[in-house]
Amino acid sequence: MSKDIWTFARVINGRLTETSFELLTWGRALADSLGSSLCSVFISSKIQNDEVDKLFLYGADKVYAIQDERLKNFLPDIYMKAACHMIKKYSPHVVIAPADTFGKTLMPMVASRLRTGLTADCTELSIEDETGLLLQTRPAIGGNVMATIKTPYTVPQMATVRPMAKKPLKHKGSAREMVEEKVEEEFFTSSYEYVGFRQDESSEIALNQAEVIVGGGRGMKDEKNFSRLYELASLLGGGVGASRAAVDMGWVAYPHQIGLSGKTVSPKVYFAFGISGAVQHIAGISGAGHVISVNKDPDSNIFNISDLSIIGDCNEVLEKLVKKLQETGAVIKNERV
Amino acid sequence: MKMAVLVKQVPATENIKIDPVTGVMQRDNLQSELNPLDTYAVEQAVRMKKNFQQSTVTAVSMGIPAAQSILRQAIAMGCDEGVLLSDRAFAGSDTWATAHVLAKGLQKLGGFDIIFAGERATDGETGQVGPCVAVQLNIPVLTFVSEVKIEEDGKILATRSVEGGYELVRVSSPVLISVVKEINEPWIPDYNGMMKSRSASIKIMTAQDIGVDKADCGLEGSPTRVSKVFYPKLTRNGEVFSDSDPEKAAQKIVDFLKEKNIL
Ligand SMILES: Cc1cc2nc3c(=O)[nH]c(=O)nc-3n(C[C@H](O)[C@H](O)[C@H](O)COP(=O)(O)OP(=O)(O)OC[C@H]3O[C@@H](n4cnc5c(N)ncnc54)[C@H](O)[C@@H]3O)c2cc1C
Ligand SMILES: Cc1cc2nc3c(=O)[nH]c(=O)nc-3n(C[C@H](O)[C@H](O)[C@H](O)COP(=O)(O)OP(=O)(O)OC[C@H]3O[C@@H](n4cnc5c(N)ncnc54)[C@H](O)[C@@H]3O)c2cc1C
């Protein structure tokens, strides 16, 4: 039984996602405290060697991959078989995947098949001194509760972690081993037929991967004002989020809703324009780095969870802020891989 | 077409209590409701039933006896019947064990073409149960589904709402589909629905009825253990800026972002 830490990487259009490198930062800390190897794992169509090299640059000691043209798109059953095959063969101690639509589909399938524990949406992972077990901390019940969960009797111990919660970090490691796993033909029969992908024009940046989210609520007053949030978002290279009230008004589509019955996000900066800060909304932003809110009501609840509270008219402040950023040409510092 | 929809009872209030010793949620004295995200799953099943003759929808839940009320609510929304999987042995189940019980129950009831689930429950919030049930039943799963079409040959074409867009995937039934809120706008139950749900009898099935071994459910059958629970402080003591001039407010935001090394 190895003590290796595995993190899942994902390839989209031949490139590794940013989250793949963030996960290595999570994994590196665990591997270092156990004195074990950090391994990055991916299942995809064939990718360039210099792309694979980035995994080593950001902390992997070893890379396991199954590459085949037929694995270009995410076909859950094949991916599950491929992941289970590798896990059974190399028996890692811990497996970490992103808590995005990919990880939250594949990991429960894999954990179920292997009959092992899976902890969702972790915000903290560490190793318990006495036992070497993974301590997995996650929020639940709308952020009202934090639970630390263990998988004491089975391996691997599996967890999904929120994208954006950690930065990719370069690492000077010496070990650089690439293991290309071969699988049999029968692997490639799938119950799924991948038909296609349609880009959502209004949210080119997936909210759970955005560094900045500009959120708007009922206080924006109407659809036209609401649409101005996109100007700020694009200046800051971020995405637009919304309260349920704004979604219910039809100003923006549901994929933008943040909160208990919408998305949970952890951007570096979250803006709340004309959002009152209902518990169900706050449930989605507890992982935000900084919260900046603009509200005309000095007693609004959003101010209780803000790092900068601006008492004022959200539309007026938005307009001036957009103008100011356009004039100064200030841009967000980019730390992406 | 024979359909099932998985529904969970969740606490309705915000003041939820967790037993500090076992880490298990204390469900007594709490107002409960049908998991808000499951109403979309129920609605979807009911809409499909209307489009296909001789279809039935069975609402299935694992929970305490009081969870019968959410099954009635599902019936009021248009489901034909409700089945509650309830046994002391199920208490403390994690997602693996919950999925095991649900899969066994569904197998016992038999022959479902489509099983609907919600995206996630608003209490445990893992979103894991749907895919786990599908794997235990050995059928495909479609997650984050925002649109479902049944094609002429009976195949199912689903739209999945994923990062940055929508993915189209086709499968054959049987399949488990977990839906997102975008998929529909649930109807409020009408008078007839309410009356029907009041008189409906809810079928209750125990571990023995569905053939679940005690070692495979409840705390004992769960691979995960909650080892600690704590209540985070959500408040931030931020800076307040109250100058009514929007120009100054905008400057304040820029300064703040620079100070935090973001701009
Ligand atoms: C089961 C359940 C699940 C839910 N899930 C979610 C969820 O996922 N996400 C979510 O967001 N909500 C959710 N809600 C709804 C939530 O309770 C609130 O109703 C919602 O968040 C309110 O949105 P809002 O802040 O935009 O609107 P409001 O609460 O109406 O607040 C508008 C705010 O704008 C301010 N304002 C008005 N005009 C101006 C102005 N000119 N300048 C500055 N400020 C102004 C007001 O002072 C007020 O604070 C859920 C509710 C339930 C019961
Ligand atoms: C604070 C806390 C943290 C937890 N963390 C984890 C964890 O990380 N990993 C883990 O394995 N368990 C965890 N659990 C246990 C988990 O909440 C329970 O197993 C629960 O029964 C199902 O998980 P869920 O609430 O996350 O449901 P989800 O997986 O979010 O539910 C998705 C869908 O599955 C269906 N469904 C779920 N439960 C039922 C049911 N009882 N009856 C019918 N349909 C249902 C519904 O359609 C629902 O919309 C945690 C519990 C608590 C209290």
Side-chain angles (χ1 to χ4, degrees):
Chain A
M1 200 62 62
S2 87
K3 287 277 170 216
D4 287 357
I5 307 292
W6 282 21
T7 64
F8 262 83
R10 175 142 194 232
V11 175
I12 295 178
N13 297 327
R15 304 224 23 206
L16 288 157
T17 60
E18 185 76 9
T19 318
S20 311
F21 306 108
E22 292 167 21
L23 258 58
L24 289 169
T25 303
W26 285 89
R28 193 68 254 170
L30 301 174
D32 288 347
S33 60
L34 279 170
S36 62
S37 299
L38 173 61
C39 311
S40 186
V41 189
F42 67 89
I43 299 162
S44 78
S45 52
K46 179 101 186 110
I47 63 169
Q48 305 278 328
N49 287 341
D50 50 356
E51 197 63 19
V52 176
D53 283 344
K54 286 194 208 157
L55 293 169
F56 295 118
L57 186 62
Y58 286 91
D61 299 311
K62 208 179 216 186
V63 172
Y64 290 102
I66 300 185
Q67 302 186 74
D68 189 286
E69 275 321 298
R70 289 165 288 188
L71 298 174
K72 182 160 182 281
N73 299 310
F74 174 40
L75 299 173
D77 49 359
I78 301 187
Y79 272 56
M80 172 183 74
K81 280 185 279 179
C84 289
H85 165 83
M86 289 193 278
I87 291 171
K88 279 188 194 146
K89 185 161 172 186
Y90 299 103
S91 31
H93 189 57
V94 167
V95 174
I96 306 166
D100 53 16
T101 61
F102 167 71
K104 296 207 76 167
T105 303
L106 182 59
M107 288 302 113
M109 295 176 75
V110 171
S112 216
R113 179 50 66 89
L114 300 172
R115 193 174 176 166
T116 188
L118 172 63
T119 304
D121 297 287
C122 297
T123 52
E124 213 183 302
L125 295 176
S126 61
I127 299 291
E128 189 174 49
D129 286 342
E130 314 85 75
T131 58
L133 287 173
L134 183 66
L135 297 173
Q136 312 162 90
T137 300
R138 66 174 298 248
I141 325 182
N144 287 294
V145 160
M146 298 293 285
T148 302
I149 292 171
K150 286 193 233 182
T151 297
Y153 312 115
T154 51
V155 279
Q157 306 163 76
M158 296 177 59
T160 58
V161 297
R162 297 236 171 112
M164 300 302 298
K166 291 214 192 297
K167 272 190 260 173
L169 292 176
K170 286 196 177 140
H171 181 80
K172 287 193 282 293
S174 48
R176 286 177 160 236
E177 190 188 344
M178 166 90 180
V179 180
E180 286 259 21
E181 214 36 48
K182 289 277 165 272
V183 290
E184 282 154 31
E185 265 320 288
E186 62 176 40
F187 254 89
F188 298 103
T189 41
S190 175
S191 310
Y192 300 79
E193 182 194 338
Y194 186 91
V195 181
F197 186 78
R198 191 174 81 235
Q199 182 103 19
D200 173 7
E201 300 83 19
S202 61
S203 72
E204 267 138 45
I205 294 168
L207 286 187
N208 62 6
Q209 284 155 13
E211 301 210 22
V212 176
I213 295 176
V214 180
R218 199 196 307 272
M220 293 304 292
K221 289 279 181 310
D222 58 36
E223 190 173 351
K224 189 160 153 275
N225 285 334
F226 191 92
S227 67
R228 306 204 59 179
L229 295 169
Y230 288 97
E231 294 175 24
L232 179 59
S234 85
L235 280 166
L236 297 174
V240 168
S243 70
R244 189 170 88 177
V247 172
D248 287 348
M249 303 285 231
W251 298 343
V252 59
Y254 168 68
H256 296 265
Q257 182 177 317
I258 287 169
L260 189 62
S261 53
K263 291 206 162 58
T264 302
V265 294
S266 32
K268 263 194 219 155
V269 185
Y270 183 78
F271 285 94
F273 284 95
I275 292 177
S276 61
V279 282
Q280 295 92 349
H281 186 78
I282 292 173
I285 58 169
S286 59
H290 302 287
V291 177
I292 301 176
S293 51
V294 186
N295 199 301
K296 66 173 187 193
D297 173 8
D299 296 323
S300 78
N301 190 49
I302 193 78
F303 289 156
N304 294 326
I305 60 124
S306 298
D307 300 292
L308 178 59
S309 303
I310 308 271
I311 302 168
D313 184 286
C314 53
N315 284 307
E316 288 178 8
V317 174
L318 176 64
E319 189 193 323
K320 297 287 185 221
L321 181 59
V322 166
K323 207 175 266 165
K324 211 165 262 308
L325 290 171
Q326 279 166 341
E327 281 165 13
T328 58
V331 289
I332 285 283
K333 289 197 176 144
N334 190 343
E335 289 161 330
R336 302 209 138 199
V337 172
Chain B
M1 196 156 49
K2 202 172 159 188
M3 290 175 283
V5 45
L6 302 177
V7 291
K8 186 185 183 192
Q9 185 183 45
V10 298
T13 50
E14 271 92 49
N15 47 346
I16 286 143
K17 290 208 170 63
I18 304 270
D19 185 325
V21 181
T22 60
V24 175
M25 228 186 306
Q26 296 168 343
R27 284 165 194 275
D28 348 319
N29 309 323
L30 261 184
Q31 285 267 37
S32 301
E33 63 178 5
L34 170 59
N35 175 30
L37 290 169
D38 292 350
T39 58
Y40 303 91
V42 172
E43 178 70 19
Q44 194 58 29
V46 169
R47 284 192 189 184
M48 302 205 28
K49 172 182 145 85
K50 287 185 183 135
N51 290 334
F52 291 89
Q53 289 188 342
Q54 290 175 333
S55 296
T56 56
V57 181
T58 306
V60 180
S61 187
M62 179 193 91
I64 57 174
Q68 285 181 61
S69 67
I70 61 149
L71 290 166
R72 283 187 203 287
Q73 196 180 331
I75 292 170
M77 289 178 71
C79 293
D80 299 286
E81 54 173 4
V83 177
L84 180 65
L85 311 174
S86 192
D87 199 306
R88 279 182 186 282
F90 300 159
S93 293
D94 72 354
T95 57
W96 191 94
T98 300
H100 182 71
V101 170
L102 291 171
K104 282 288 201 180
L106 290 163
Q107 249 161 2
K108 186 77 189 181
L109 295 164
F112 293 108
D113 301 298
I114 305 182
I115 299 160
F116 287 99
E119 180 187 346
R120 63 174 192 270
T122 52
D123 54 352
E125 282 194 279
T126 64
Q128 291 173 182
V129 170
C132 288
V133 169
V135 168
Q136 301 214 19
L137 289 173
N138 209 6
I139 61 173
V141 56
L142 296 164
T143 49
F144 305 98
V145 169
S146 59
E147 204 182 331
V148 190
K149 274 199 204 109
I150 309 281
E151 298 180 308
E152 258 162 41
D153 58 0
K155 288 215 167 135
I156 293 152
L157 181 65
T159 305
R160 300 181 63 230
S161 178
V162 300
E163 289 76 16
Y166 297 89
E167 208 177 84
L168 263 82
V169 186
R170 185 179 285 125
V171 297
S172 300
S173 65
V175 60
L176 188 144
I177 298 178
S178 58
V179 306
V180 294
K181 195 181 158 182
E182 231 179 323
I183 197 163
N184 58 43
E185 194 68 60
W187 289 90
I188 311 291
D190 60 11
Y191 179 76
N192 286 341
M194 300 297 269
M195 290 316 285
K196 190 179 125 201
S197 75
R198 238 173 258 171
S199 56
S201 75
I202 305 292
K203 189 167 172 184
I204 298 184
M205 297 171 99
T206 62
Q208 196 179 1
D209 294 335
I210 58 174
V212 168
D213 192 332
K214 306 245 148 129
D216 293 334
C217 64
L219 211 53
E220 201 186 331
S222 295
T224 66
R225 288 286 181 281
V226 175
S227 75
K228 191 172 86 183
V229 164
F230 53 105
Y231 299 85
K233 216 174 98 229
L234 280 180
T235 55
R236 298 169 187 237
N237 296 320
E239 198 180 334
V240 179
F241 186 82
S242 54
D243 191 316
S244 61
D245 180 0
E247 180 76 38
K248 286 191 184 138
Q251 187 58 49
K252 178 72 205 173
I253 294 174
V254 171
D255 293 346
F256 178 88
L257 292 172
K258 283 192 174 146
E259 189 188 308
K260 301 293 176 202
N261 203 25
I262 287 158
L263 279 181

